[in-house]
């Protein structure tokens, strides 16, 4: 006669929680170009300077306490760079900063955020200020170069 095994409710509960977490993480689609907060602007500095400032800002404000991985790369000719933050388990794109040379001392920066939690329009504005002024901060305290419409 084969031994009868009792049903392990603790294991079943853990598997159920794991399935729930996996489905929630699968629902996180990350940056949606048509809906996510974004901004493109030009700065009077080389790509390398903007890139270094974007890295400092990302480390300070966007990798969060969860230590999401940051990927940063600058081309050898220093004409293009990017700084990204992805979710750890799903590789969902949370933040994307692209920097392209317009001239030797002028760069075009495109910033996109996921739109959830710290990756929102506040983060987009803070990234712009950090690149423009060289002072990383999770909130933009600097005045805008263009007046706001009323």
């Amino acid at each position: 006669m084969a031994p009868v095994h009792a049903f392990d409710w603790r294991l079943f509960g853990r598997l159920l929680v794991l399935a729930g977490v996996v489905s929630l993480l699968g629902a996180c689609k990350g940056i949606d170009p048509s809906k996510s907060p974004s901004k493109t602007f030009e700065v009077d500095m080389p790509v390398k300077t903007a890139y270094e400032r974007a890295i400092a800002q990302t480390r300070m404000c966007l990798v969060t306490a969860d230590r999401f991985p940051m990927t940063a790369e600058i081309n050898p000719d220093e004409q293009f760079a990017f700084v990204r933050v992805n979710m750890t388990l799903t590789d969902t794109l949370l933040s994307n900063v692209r920097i392209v040379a317009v001239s030797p001392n002028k760069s075009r920066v495109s910033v996109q955020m996921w739109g959830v939690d710290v990756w929102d329009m506040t983060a987009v504005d803070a990234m712009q200020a950090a690149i423009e002024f060289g002072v990383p901060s999770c909130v933009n305290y600097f005045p805008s170069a263009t007046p706001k419409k009323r």
Side-chain angles (χ1 to χ4, degrees), residues 39-41 96-100 108-112:
K39 185 183 284 187
T40 298
F41 54 94
N96 187 23
V97 180
R98 295 173 40 90
I99 308 160
V100 179
R108 180 175 298 112
V109 181
S110 297
V111 180
Q112 281 189 311

Side-chain angles (χ1 to χ4, degrees), residues 69-73 82-86:
M70 177 183 74
T71 307
E73 186 177 308
F82 69 83
V83 179
R84 296 182 183 132
V85 175
N86 292 76

Side-chain angles (χ1 to χ4, degrees), residues 88-121:
T88 307
L89 296 176
T90 62
D91 204 35
T92 300
L93 186 59
L94 304 176
S95 107
N96 187 23
V97 180
R98 295 173 40 90
I99 308 160
V100 179
V102 174
S103 69
N105 290 312
K106 188 170 201 143
S107 301
R108 180 175 298 112
V109 181
S110 297
V111 180
Q112 281 189 311
M113 297 290 169
W114 180 27
V116 176
D117 200 20
V118 300
W119 306 280
D120 59 7
M121 196 62 196

Side-chain angles (χ1 to χ4, degrees), residues 17-32:
V17 168
L18 179 63
V21 167
V22 168
S23 17
L24 279 175
L25 290 175
C28 299
K29 293 188 177 16
I31 290 177
D32 177 348

Side-chain angles (χ1 to χ4, degrees), residues 24-75:
L24 279 175
L25 290 175
C28 299
K29 293 188 177 16
I31 290 177
D32 177 348
S34 66
K35 297 178 185 173
S36 295
S38 64
K39 185 183 284 187
T40 298
F41 54 94
E42 290 189 359
V43 289
D44 292 326
M45 67 187 68
V47 168
K48 185 174 182 179
T49 303
Y51 170 73
E52 291 167 348
R53 291 176 178 188
I55 288 174
Q57 175 69 10
T58 298
R59 284 186 178 142
M60 182 174 184
C61 302
L62 300 176
V63 294
T64 73
D66 297 316
R67 307 304 303 157
F68 290 119
M70 177 183 74
T71 307
E73 186 177 308
I74 187 167
N75 282 9

Side-chain angles (χ1 to χ4, degrees), residues 6-21:
F7 187 78
D8 187 346
W9 284 102
R10 286 183 296 172
L11 177 61
F12 178 73
R14 288 179 185 153
L15 289 173
L16 197 57
V17 168
L18 179 63
V21 167

